[in-house]
Amino acid sequence: MTGYASAQTGAPAASAEGEPRTQAVRRLGMEIRSVNSRFLDLSFRLPDELRSFEPMLRALVTAKVKRGKIEVRAALEGLDSNALPDPPTRVLQRLSSMQDAVQSWLPEARPLSVADVLRLCSNSTPALDAGALNITQLAQNVLTGLLDARAQEGERLSAMLRGHLKQLRALTELATPLVPQLVEQQRQRFMDRWKEAMGLAEGSATPEAAQDRALSEATAFAIRIDVAEEVTRLDSHITEIERLLGKGGEVGKRLDFLIQELHREANTLGSKSSALELTRISVDMKVLIEQMREQVQNLE
């Protein structure tokens, strides 16, 4: 199912060892997107400072989500995204000392530029104050928002499926009275061919030949009209799908199986049909079932 949720929080940035604590605030933003997929497919786009939290985030998501292509994004920045952090004094002192040592051995060495200093200082960024950012709580809040969005999507899909089931049941009710009519039509056709076979037996065919033809017609008759079982199973599958939709929870994979069974019964109904009206009912059923199949794959 599709869904989206995001949230953000902020906390004071940690200061480098030996440096006075600043009041700079770092902001952590997180969002989780979900699109339809038959299986669970997780991907993470995290800054380097948050890579260590990926196992925790993965466990958090997999505990609540079983299907869908899920993307977790996080961004960490200061409130003023254009501001550069002040280089720590201890790092500047060490860079100056190292530069002097290098130039004492290599007098032609180029002095460090401001860009060089900023780049080297960025590698000594102080550790993230993870506790102050409360990443776990933020992730739980975003995941709760995502689940709420997916629940709303699930309710919409469930309402659509119930509408299709109602149409399928109506088609099944149309097919049910056709079964005895088909039996009577086939019985009459069988009797006509039986009489024809007996007429052929008078003088030109033996009674054994007439009996063999009658048995052949009876076998074909039994096979062709045996659609009552398909109609019964269709009604049973529809009832079970309605029950699962009412129950809720993780029903997507079971619904997948039941939709396959519905399609099989509707296809068999059409292949066994000897009446145009029943064939049309079978085609209408398969159209509805195919529409349901596309949506059921999105349900968890």
Side-chain angles (χ1 to χ4, degrees):
M1 290 179 290
T2 59
Y4 173 83
S6 65
Q8 63 182 22
T9 186
S15 298
E17 182 180 356
E19 294 294 320
R21 187 171 184 86
T22 66
Q23 296 301 316
V25 176
R26 306 193 75 183
R27 181 174 56 196
L28 172 63
M30 185 177 296
E31 64 179 27
I32 304 180
R33 301 173 182 266
S34 170
V35 295
N36 299 326
S37 177
R38 294 184 61 187
F39 308 99
L40 180 60
D41 181 11
L42 278 176
S43 63
F44 294 86
R45 297 196 175 185
L46 307 175
D48 292 339
E49 293 168 294
L50 300 179
R51 284 294 178 187
S52 61
F53 295 96
E54 182 174 328
M56 179 273 292
L57 294 172
R58 183 178 296 274
L60 195 65
V61 173
T62 54
K64 298 292 185 180
V65 180
K66 303 303 179 184
R67 271 181 136 184
K69 186 175 182 180
I70 311 296
E71 182 182 68
V72 180
R73 289 174 175 261
L76 188 63
E77 59 184 17
L79 289 181
D80 183 2
S81 58
N82 295 321
L84 293 174
D86 294 333
T89 303
R90 65 177 183 83
V91 177
L92 292 176
Q93 291 174 343
R94 179 156 181 77
L95 288 176
S96 176
S97 175
M98 292 176 65
Q99 178 176 253
D100 292 342
V102 170
Q103 289 182 332
S104 67
W105 288 93
L106 302 172
E108 301 298 324
R110 179 178 62 84
L112 290 171
S113 66
V114 174
D116 293 333
V117 172
L118 291 177
R119 177 174 54 81
L120 292 170
C121 287
S122 66
N123 295 330
S124 61
T125 302
L128 174 67
D129 192 348
L133 284 173
N134 204 352
I135 295 176
T136 302
Q137 184 61 49
L138 177 65
Q140 289 175 343
N141 292 341
V142 178
L143 184 58
T144 298
L146 176 72
L147 295 176
D148 290 342
R150 284 165 60 96
Q152 294 177 6
E153 176 75 2
E155 290 176 0
R156 185 186 68 79
L157 292 178
S158 180
M160 184 277 295
L161 290 174
R162 286 191 174 93
H164 281 46
L165 290 173
K166 185 176 180 180
Q167 297 180 59
L168 274 177
R169 192 177 292 281
L171 290 173
T172 303
E173 292 173 354
L174 287 177
T176 301
L178 292 178
V179 175
Q181 296 177 20
L182 292 175
V183 171
E184 179 59 27
Q185 292 174 7
Q186 291 286 359
R187 188 190 70 81
Q188 186 60 45
R189 186 177 301 174
F190 168 72
M191 293 302 298
D192 292 342
R193 292 188 179 182
W194 167 260
K195 291 177 181 178
E196 179 186 354
M198 293 304 293
L200 291 174
E202 294 179 358
S204 60
T206 62
E208 291 78 9
Q211 184 179 10
D212 290 343
R213 181 166 183 177
L215 290 173
S216 177
E217 291 291 338
T219 301
F221 165 74
I223 294 174
R224 292 290 297 276
I225 68 171
D226 188 18
V227 294
E229 292 185 8
E230 282 73 18
V231 172
T232 300
R233 284 195 290 266
L234 279 168
D235 185 73
S236 175
H237 294 329
I238 292 171
T239 299
E240 177 64 10
I241 293 175
E242 290 175 336
R243 186 189 71 81
L244 290 174
L245 290 176
K247 174 186 175 184
E250 297 176 13
V251 297
K253 292 184 179 180
R254 183 164 179 80
L255 288 178
D256 276 341
F257 171 75
L258 289 171
I259 291 297
Q260 292 177 9
E261 293 301 305
L262 275 178
H263 188 273
R264 180 180 303 173
E265 301 301 338
N267 192 57
T268 305
L269 183 69
S271 64
K272 287 187 175 182
S273 171
S274 60
L276 181 60
E277 187 175 358
L278 196 58
T279 301
R280 288 173 177 170
I281 289 175
S282 172
V283 172
D284 290 342
M285 283 182 171
K286 287 190 283 187
V287 170
L288 287 170
I289 292 169
E290 188 59 33
Q291 292 173 352
M292 292 174 64
R293 186 204 303 274
E294 295 175 358
Q295 298 301 328
V296 161
Q297 293 176 356
N298 301 331
L299 288 174
E300 183 172 322

